[in-house]
Amino acid sequence: MRETISSERYTAILEQFVSTQLALEDRPRIEWFMQDGAPPHSTEKVFRFLDDFGNRIIVLDDPKFTGTGMDCPPYSPDLTPCDYFLWGALKCIVYGNHPSTLDEHESAICVACNSISV
């Protein structure tokens, strides 16, 4: 996705994700929803959408959910495995090639993702 992620775009992505998950009857329903504190993820519109999850939300540094959901423990390897391996590994591969254009950057991200074994 090349567009800048605004709160409106992020909400549309969430709506599509949730509707897709609910349509997959052979898969378990979402038990918890976790998101980071990126500005587009932390708007009133997004939190109104997330209210449907009730107290099954883990949100970083948002006082609205303190006490109703679960405060996101910082640097928790159990909750954020991507922070402890994936992002660092991907960044080393992507930026090791010094991409200079958006197309090169996108290609380097795809190569990096495909290079990580299960």
Side-chain angles (χ1 to χ4, degrees):
M1 176 180 312
R2 291 184 174 212
E3 302 90 32
T4 299
I5 299 295
S6 64
S7 65
E8 290 78 18
R9 180 72 181 130
Y10 181 63
T11 304
I13 291 167
L14 287 175
E15 288 170 347
Q16 183 173 357
F17 171 76
V18 170
S19 64
T20 301
Q21 293 298 309
L22 294 176
L24 299 172
E25 295 178 14
D26 61 332
R27 296 188 60 196
R29 291 182 53 116
I30 300 168
E31 293 296 324
W32 286 87
F33 184 82
M34 179 178 177
Q35 72 173 24
D36 62 15
H41 303 171
S42 303
T43 66
E44 186 177 339
K45 181 176 183 173
V46 170
F47 289 128
R48 275 196 310 261
F49 176 81
L50 293 176
D51 275 344
D52 291 341
F53 286 92
N55 66 351
R56 297 284 204 177
I57 302 172
I58 302 171
V59 181
L60 180 63
D61 295 332
D62 184 67
K64 177 177 170 92
F65 291 105
T66 301
T68 59
M70 178 180 193
D71 292 334
C72 181
Y75 312 113
S76 170
D78 295 331
L79 295 175
T80 56
C82 292
D83 288 340
Y84 287 91
F85 165 71
L86 185 60
W87 303 141
L90 288 175
K91 284 167 58 173
C92 286
I93 296 168
V94 170
Y95 293 112
N97 296 325
H98 305 289
S100 59
T101 67
L102 185 57
D103 287 332
E104 289 175 2
H105 199 124
E106 187 176 273
S107 177
I109 292 170
C110 290
V111 168
C113 289
N114 289 329
S115 73
I116 295 177
S117 67
V118 175

